[in-house]
Amino acid sequence: PAPPLLFTIPATMTFIQDLLKPGGGIALIPFIRGTIATLLVLVILMGIADIARIHMVVLASLSIGLLMSISWFEKAWNDVQSSRGESSSSSSAAATAAGKEPEKTD
C-alpha cells in the first residue's frame, strides 16, 4: 500500500488554481508576512551575536520596511474590496428597485 500523502493532489491543485486567479495572490500575504518576520528575528539575533553588524542593521531596516509595505498593501486591498462591496450592493439594490438588470462592473 502507498503511504498517505501530506497533501492530496486535488487539494493542492485547487490551491494553485486559486492563486493563479486574478487577485488570488492575496492568499499568500500571511505566508509572506511570516517569512519576513522570521527573517527579521534571525537578523536581529545575528546582530546581537555581533555577526556583520552593519549588514544586519541594513537587513533589519529592509525587513521592517517590507512588513510595513505589506501591511499598507493589505489595508489598501481591504479598502478597495469593501468599497466594491458597498458600491455593487447599492447599485444592485437601486437597479432592482428600478426594475432593471444590475450593471456588471467586472
Side-chain angles (χ1 to χ4, degrees):
L5 296 174
L6 181 60
F7 297 107
T8 60
I9 299 298
T12 306
M13 290 307 294
T14 343
F15 179 70
I16 291 172
Q17 288 172 346
D18 288 343
L19 286 179
L20 295 178
K21 288 180 186 174
I26 200 78
L28 289 176
I29 286 183
F31 174 74
I32 294 169
R33 184 178 284 136
T35 303
I36 295 171
T38 304
L39 172 69
L40 183 60
V41 168
L42 290 174
V43 163
I44 289 172
L45 289 175
M46 289 176 64
I48 291 171
D50 203 23
I51 300 173
R53 185 168 288 201
I54 189 66
H55 294 88
M56 295 308 125
V57 169
V58 170
L59 282 173
S61 62
L62 289 172
S63 298
I64 291 169
L66 278 171
L67 285 172
M68 289 171 47
S69 66
I70 288 174
S71 296
W72 171 78
F73 172 78
E74 189 174 26
K75 182 185 177 305
W77 176 266
N78 290 335
D79 290 346
V80 167
Q81 292 299 86
S82 65
S83 69
R84 277 188 181 174
E86 291 170 4
S87 67
S88 67
S89 65
S90 64
S91 67
S92 64
T96 36
K100 292 192 258 178
E101 180 83 20
E103 182 181 334
K104 303 235 184 219
T105 57
D106 291 336

